[in-house]
Amino acid sequence: MVDNRYATALVIACVLSLLATVYLSVAVGTQHWYQYSSPTVRGEANVSELRSLYDEFMTGEFDEKTYSDTLFRLNGTVGLWWRCVLVPPAAHWNREPDAKMLLECRNFTLPEQFTPKYKEPGNHNSGEDMLRTYLWRCQFLLPLASLGLVVLAGLIGFCACLCRSLTPTLGIGVLHLLAGLCTLATVCCYLAGMDLLHRVSMLPGKVDGSLGWSLYLALISSPLHMMAAALLVWAARSHSQNYYRMTAYRVA
């Protein structure tokens, strides 16, 4: 029989784990990790240049410099799987942007996620930037690892419930701790990668960058997983100690 304190800790840990998993899943699937604020489109020459960038962004070959320049100039947002720009409807490119802006997105394909980054974006002769390359790959793989660890923990927990056993609780707590660390590492890799990108690709004048709500969701999910892990480990250790004490008392 499970003590009420342990049962309460397990319920709270399950709720925290569910919230953290939902937050992380939403963060991974949305593009608002980093966003740029660009000046208003003005002037015929400026419009033609931006329209050319947009067309290349939507239909051209994958190139880091091309899509980065487009994000800088067209109020872009970029996440783990998506890159998006805000543009006016086709009929309003040459007018004042009073019309409602449209969000146009392209996803990063699996091969694109593993494309090397170069010391000078767009210049394949400049040599591969190993640090940026592996930071990008880590920010793509680590959240998947985190979600996989939580799914594994959930399966183990479900089996433990069927068997009416608290024995696997410690292992489930450790899995949640690893998931929280993977999520935190994802955010760190993303921020480091964006900082390095801005060092090698100077932002145009009057363009500002800021963190988006998707990144904050991922950042929130990490401590939630860790709190769930702490509750699970506490419940497992306390229940184990009480069990051994009761066993020793009965033997005595």
Side-chain angles (χ1 to χ4, degrees):
M1 185 175 180
V2 180
D3 188 285
N4 286 338
R5 293 175 300 167
Y6 309 144
T8 302
L10 293 176
V11 170
I12 295 174
C14 290
V15 172
L16 292 175
S17 175
L18 181 61
L19 283 174
T21 304
V22 171
Y23 288 169
L24 180 58
S25 299
V26 172
V28 170
T30 51
Q31 73 276 7
H32 297 281
W33 282 65
Y34 201 90
Q35 53 198 20
Y36 298 97
S37 177
S38 313
T40 304
V41 178
R42 295 183 184 277
E44 188 69 29
N46 193 24
V47 167
S48 299
E49 179 187 358
L50 295 180
R51 185 59 186 266
S52 176
L53 281 173
Y54 167 72
D55 291 339
E56 183 69 19
F57 177 83
M58 295 303 297
T59 60
E61 294 281 334
F62 176 79
D63 181 77
E64 184 183 26
K65 179 172 176 54
T66 300
Y67 79 74
S68 295
D69 288 344
T70 309
L71 293 173
F72 297 159
R73 302 288 299 278
L74 291 175
N75 296 291
T77 57
V78 58
L80 302 183
W81 283 94
W82 295 94
R83 56 191 189 273
C84 304
V85 292
L86 273 176
V87 295
H92 294 271
W93 273 90
N94 295 322
R95 302 179 186 177
E96 292 297 321
D98 297 329
K100 183 179 179 180
M101 304 293 279
L102 303 177
L103 186 68
E104 299 286 350
C105 298
R106 284 195 69 180
N107 68 303
F108 292 105
T109 64
L110 193 58
E112 289 171 356
Q113 295 282 15
F114 290 95
T115 301
K117 308 296 179 184
Y118 297 97
K119 295 178 181 178
E120 296 179 12
N123 183 2
H124 294 193
N125 296 322
S126 62
E128 183 177 351
D129 190 330
M130 299 296 292
L131 180 57
R132 290 203 307 121
T133 296
Y134 284 99
L135 283 174
W136 183 276
R137 292 175 183 177
C138 286
Q139 76 183 30
F140 153 65
L141 293 172
L142 285 173
L144 300 182
S146 178
L147 291 172
L149 289 168
V150 174
V151 170
L152 178 60
L155 291 175
I156 295 174
F158 179 73
C159 294
C161 289
L162 293 180
C163 299
R164 297 182 180 182
S165 172
L166 278 177
T167 303
T169 306
L170 180 60
I172 296 172
V174 172
L175 290 175
H176 276 82
L177 177 61
L178 293 175
L181 292 174
C182 285
T183 304
L184 183 60
T186 299
V187 175
C188 293
C189 288
Y190 187 88
L191 292 175
M194 293 303 294
D195 180 66
L196 291 173
L197 173 63
H198 294 157
R199 291 185 184 183
V200 297
S201 300
M202 298 300 294
L203 291 177
K206 299 181 180 179
V207 174
D208 296 320
S210 60
L211 304 180
W213 58 265
S214 298
L215 184 141
Y216 288 114
L217 277 183
L219 195 58
I220 291 170
S221 73
S222 177
L224 290 179
H225 273 139
M226 293 182 183
M227 287 189 288
L231 287 171
L232 290 166
V233 170
W234 173 83
R237 293 293 302 274
S238 299
H239 182 267
S240 176
Q241 289 173 0
N242 286 345
Y243 175 79
Y244 287 124
R245 287 173 186 170
M246 291 297 296
T247 301
Y249 175 76
R250 291 175 181 174
V251 170

